Amino acid sequence: MDGNRRYAKRKLLEEGAGHDAGAMALLNLIIYCYELGVKYITAYAFSIDNFRRKPSEVQKIMDLLKECMTVLAKIAKHHPIKVNFAGNLELLNAELRDEACKLMGATAEYSKFVVTICVCYCCTDDIVHSVEESCREKCYYHSYIGDSHDDDKDDDDKDDERHMINLVDIEKNMYMAVTPDPDILIRTGDKHRLSNFLQWQTCHSLLASLSTDWPEIGVWHLVKVVIDFQQNYDYFVRKRLQQL
């Protein structure tokens, strides 16, 4: 979701108006994806690094996030939309965190269409968080479960394997474990870098860089990217199968 500030500057709009337009673009894109039959959509709404911006801008984004939660809650009453918030939610204020948890709880049973909004997120933090959680799990197993098998020497090799952190442990403890790895990653604003977003999950994804700023993204941008993916579908399937 890159280009909100550039959009406002180019359109000679007041400060913060670009984020208003960006929030509307996100809600519109969610509708487009739902109508097109896309099952999963993930939006990078707020990075941990974004806390370095001016306090007034951070507060503006947080206010918009709360408004988006309200809109999504109303949409979910009429359509089976599941909403996830992925990231270090402890960095949000208590009110916003509670609203996020309430919305996730209210939509948890839906599965037809899944919207994941990444807030207070970056991929490096996701990986560190996952390793820490995996270590806690292994320590718990070693301390409270492993002790009961101290006299069972035949299981030593199996216990050693259980004490090691593996790929499954890392991936299940990531914030992004709530949704499958993406088929497509769209970056707006004519940017060609991932900016610490889903590096772990996008090794076999189509990377689409659009010259348009985020507030101007429309349904035809989405359709073009989807068609591009469909034309290269066999290639991406082969790559994913090679990983298995």
Side-chain angles (χ1 to χ4, degrees):
M1 297 171 59
D2 196 75
N4 292 342
R5 292 185 294 180
R6 286 192 300 274
Y7 170 83
K9 186 176 181 179
R10 179 161 49 82
K11 295 291 185 177
L12 303 179
L13 301 175
E14 63 182 17
E15 186 175 355
H19 295 303
D20 290 326
M24 183 59 66
L26 173 59
L27 294 173
N28 286 336
L29 196 69
I30 289 172
I31 295 171
Y32 298 152
C33 287
Y34 182 85
E35 295 295 335
L36 287 172
V38 176
K39 185 170 183 178
Y40 299 96
I41 176 174
T42 300
Y44 197 9
F46 190 81
S47 165
I48 290 177
D49 292 336
N50 290 152
F51 279 112
R52 300 173 183 173
R53 296 184 178 182
K54 293 187 299 183
S56 59
E57 183 178 2
V58 172
Q59 186 59 50
K60 172 68 175 181
I61 296 172
M62 294 300 163
D63 292 342
L64 284 170
L65 180 59
K66 185 176 181 180
E67 291 178 19
C68 285
M69 289 181 187
T70 301
V71 173
L72 289 172
K74 291 180 179 179
I75 293 175
K77 289 182 179 180
H78 303 283
H79 301 282
I81 297 177
K82 180 177 183 178
V83 182
N84 296 316
F85 291 92
N88 188 354
L89 302 187
E90 292 300 317
L91 298 178
L92 296 173
N93 64 53
E95 180 183 5
L96 203 55
R97 185 169 59 251
D98 289 345
E99 289 293 326
C101 291
K102 184 188 300 183
L103 182 54
M104 288 191 287
T107 63
E109 299 301 318
Y110 299 141
S111 60
K112 180 180 178 180
F113 182 56
V114 181
V115 176
T116 301
I117 299 177
C118 294
V119 291
C120 305
Y121 176 89
C122 70
C123 190
T124 49
D125 181 68
D126 197 359
I127 294 171
V128 170
H129 160 79
S130 178
V131 171
E132 290 174 343
E133 287 298 310
S134 298
C135 288
R136 291 189 187 99
E137 289 179 355
K138 297 302 180 180
C139 287
Y140 173 82
Y141 178 85
H142 180 71
S143 300
Y144 296 97
I145 299 177
D147 289 347
S148 64
H149 300 288
D150 282 348
D151 296 329
D152 192 354
K153 302 303 182 182
D154 293 336
D155 289 338
D156 282 351
D157 291 342
K158 292 183 179 179
D159 284 341
D160 287 342
E161 292 179 3
R162 294 191 190 104
H163 294 161
M164 295 180 64
I165 295 175
N166 55 40
L167 181 62
V168 173
D169 296 318
I170 296 295
E171 292 190 334
K172 78 174 183 178
N173 283 309
M174 283 186 154
Y175 295 128
M176 292 304 300
V178 296
T179 188
D181 292 350
D183 292 317
I184 304 169
L185 190 146
I186 299 175
R187 181 74 194 264
T188 55
D190 201 25
K191 300 298 181 183
H192 302 271
R193 62 183 188 275
L194 296 182
S195 296
N196 214 349
F197 182 54
L198 304 187
Q199 286 99 325
W200 184 283
Q201 294 85 0
T202 55
C203 58
H204 298 301
S205 302
L206 171 68
L207 304 181
S209 178
L210 305 181
S211 59
T212 185
D213 288 327
W214 174 255
E216 295 177 310
I217 193 170
V219 65
W220 293 113
H221 296 101
L222 180 62
V223 169
K224 181 180 182 300
V225 172
V226 170
I227 291 175
D228 189 17
F229 173 77
Q230 290 174 335
Q231 291 174 338
N232 294 278
Y233 178 75
D234 290 343
Y235 170 79
F236 289 108
V237 168
R238 287 197 304 272
K239 286 295 183 181
R240 287 183 184 271
L241 289 176
Q242 290 172 5
Q243 190 181 26
L244 297 178

